Amino acid sequence: MAKVTIIGATGNVGSFAAHTISEIPHVTDMLLMGRPGREEFLEGCCRDMADSFAARGTQMRLAHSTRVADVEGSDVIICTSGMPRQVGQDRNDLAFENAKMVAETAEIVGERAPDALLFMVTNPVDVMTAVALKYSGLEPRQVFGLGTHLDSMRLKALIAEYFKVHVSEVHTRIIGEHGESMVPLWSATTIGGIQICNLPTFSGLPHREMMDTVRSSGQFIIKNKGATVYGPGEAIATLVRTILGDENRILTVSSYIRSEVNGIGDVCIGVPARINRKGVFPVPIKLADREVTGFAASVEKIRTITADVTEKLEQCR
Ligand SMILES: NC(=O)c1ccc[n+]([C@@H]2O[C@H](COP(=O)([O-])OP(=O)(O)OC[C@H]3O[C@@H](n4cnc5c(N)ncnc54)[C@H](O)[C@@H]3O)[C@@H](O)[C@H]2O)c1
Ligand SMILES: O=C(O)C[C@H](O)C(=O)O
């Protein structure tokens, strides 16, 4: 039995995520939240969703609101509100504008729903996770972001296609920034449980091209259809299912690390974490030398942007 709130439910990602989450059996209540002035649109969303529930036989209480204070009683709060990037923009270009909204929202969430898990989707997601953690006052296990889970899914699909195997046979991870400096962990990539470097065909794998495709996927989709929706929506639902099912799966999300990755820490960034009903728990790992160099650079980049945004936020408060 759980209540899930989606802040930004009138947007592209929020509205599709609401629909995918409505298929999770643990969810008994869903609150769709939008900005003041969007009441009619939210009513329309609820009515439309109720029609789909009727077709599927889903039984769920559905409500809408434009007051963030109504998050009270939520088990999971997903923040998808904020500006998306336009063609040619980097996700980090959105940092300060979205941080203002995230800080304000997170403060209210911290006051009204101190036991909830706060799940950030808004970009740049690693920086927004840090801002949400700071301003909500919640514990690090309670605040996390979609991180490199979506990038890991994208890479997994490309590897499965290359080796002509089902995606469930592929385990792989991308860590670091959900952005240009992301780092693939080839050392942690397996197919059918066999390390990828022990497969003779590995030498022909177009690593660089695959990572170029993953890095540019968001931009490609935005250019062609305006927004990325289905991938993020399904990725969000996977995380919510993992939490509410208390599944203890290890997924790669943006989380506050102290020193879990080769002693590197004090940043919110994409890392493997065990996820259950209590929240998100980064798994201590030791990376190969080449991977550490890439990860350290990614951490440095995110730490610098986070510090800059936080300083600017403090100045305008
Ligand atoms: N982390 C990821 O993997 C991932 C994936 C997809 C999208 N995103 C991010 O999610 C966010 C939403 O993307 P979208 O395509 O749904 O955008 P969208 O424009 O369709 O929706 C944005 C929503 O946020 C609301 N909003 C915008 N500015 C706001 C503000 N200042 N205060 C309150 N609400 C505000 C809008 O009313 C709307 O409901 C973007 O930041 C986007 O980059 C992240
Ligand atoms: O690329 C974007 O801006 C949206 C999202 O982060 C994505 O990777 O799909």
Side-chain angles (χ1 to χ4, degrees):
M1 308 303 100
K3 174 176 170 178
V4 174
T5 294
I6 299 159
I7 303 177
T10 59
N12 281 307
V13 175
S15 57
F16 182 68
H19 199 252
T20 57
I21 290 166
S22 73
E23 290 181 298
I24 301 173
H26 306 279
V27 183
T28 47
D29 290 84
M30 185 147 62
L31 176 62
L32 304 183
M33 196 167 284
R35 282 201 272 192
R38 301 292 277 159
E39 290 79 2
E40 271 186 25
F41 191 93
L42 285 164
E43 267 174 42
C45 291
C46 282
R47 188 74 68 86
D48 193 17
M49 191 95 97
D51 287 349
S52 84
F53 289 2
R56 293 197 313 225
T58 302
Q59 285 190 317
M60 181 180 298
R61 278 180 294 271
L62 198 54
H64 62 86
S65 168
T66 55
R67 282 166 25 96
V68 181
D70 289 339
V71 293
E72 216 163 279
S74 303
D75 297 284
V76 182
I77 299 164
I78 304 158
C79 180
T80 66
S81 61
M83 290 190 315
R85 64 174 162 156
Q86 306 299 316
V87 178
Q89 267 189 316
D90 186 274
R91 297 180 185 91
N92 290 312
D93 295 339
L94 312 167
F96 184 55
E97 276 313 305
N98 282 346
K100 286 192 279 189
M101 179 275 300
V102 167
E104 214 172 283
T105 304
E107 267 179 356
I108 304 172
V109 167
E111 280 162 23
R112 297 295 180 131
D115 298 324
L117 302 185
L118 177 53
F119 175 2
M120 300 306 302
V121 178
T122 312
N123 272 322
V125 71
D126 302 297
V127 179
M128 295 306 113
T129 304
V131 170
L133 178 62
K134 178 177 165 68
Y135 288 91
S136 65
L138 298 177
E139 291 176 33
R141 69 171 170 85
Q142 293 176 276
V143 184
F144 61 96
L146 189 54
T148 40
H149 177 57
L150 178 57
D151 307 296
S152 301
M153 273 170 45
R154 286 170 173 157
L155 181 59
K156 183 179 173 139
L158 292 174
I159 295 173
E161 192 185 348
Y162 182 84
F163 284 100
K164 298 189 173 49
V165 295
H166 192 274
V167 280
S168 65
E169 295 297 335
V170 181
H171 270 81
T172 192
R173 279 184 203 287
I174 291 178
I175 59 170
E177 177 196 10
H178 173 54
E180 286 303 309
S181 68
M182 65 179 73
V183 182
L185 294 189
W186 296 110
S187 65
T189 302
T190 61
I191 295 179
I194 301 157
Q195 246 194 332
I196 199 168
C197 56
N198 291 330
L199 295 168
T201 35
F202 175 63
S203 56
L205 191 76
H207 304 78
R208 193 183 294 261
E209 289 79 356
M210 281 184 174
M211 283 310 297
D212 285 349
T213 303
V214 172
R215 282 199 181 86
S216 61
S217 263
Q219 187 75 261
F220 176 88
I221 297 166
I222 290 169
K223 179 165 80 62
N224 286 281
K225 68 169 283 243
T228 68
V229 176
Y230 305 128
E234 292 293 347
I236 293 166
T238 300
L239 287 176
V240 174
R241 198 176 293 113
T242 304
I243 291 164
L244 298 179
D246 209 18
E247 289 179 4
N248 281 305
R249 284 185 71 184
I250 296 177
L251 299 171
T252 320
V253 292
S254 190
S255 178
Y256 178 76
I257 49 167
R258 290 177 180 84
S259 59
E260 284 86 345
V261 182
N262 287 64
I264 302 169
D266 194 24
V267 69
C268 288
I269 202 154
V271 289
R274 190 165 57 87
I275 302 175
N276 58 35
R277 193 119 188 174
K278 292 195 180 70
V280 159
F281 303 88
V283 178
I285 49 170
K286 207 164 178 319
L287 302 176
D289 288 351
R290 197 159 27 91
E291 293 164 346
V292 181
T293 311
F295 183 69
S298 193
V299 163
E300 209 37 54
K301 176 180 176 188
I302 293 301
R303 210 188 258 141
T304 305
I305 301 171
T306 304
D308 181 49
V309 164
T310 313
E311 193 185 320
K312 280 197 195 139
L313 277 178
E314 289 300 312
Q315 278 166 8
C316 70
R317 286 185 139 237

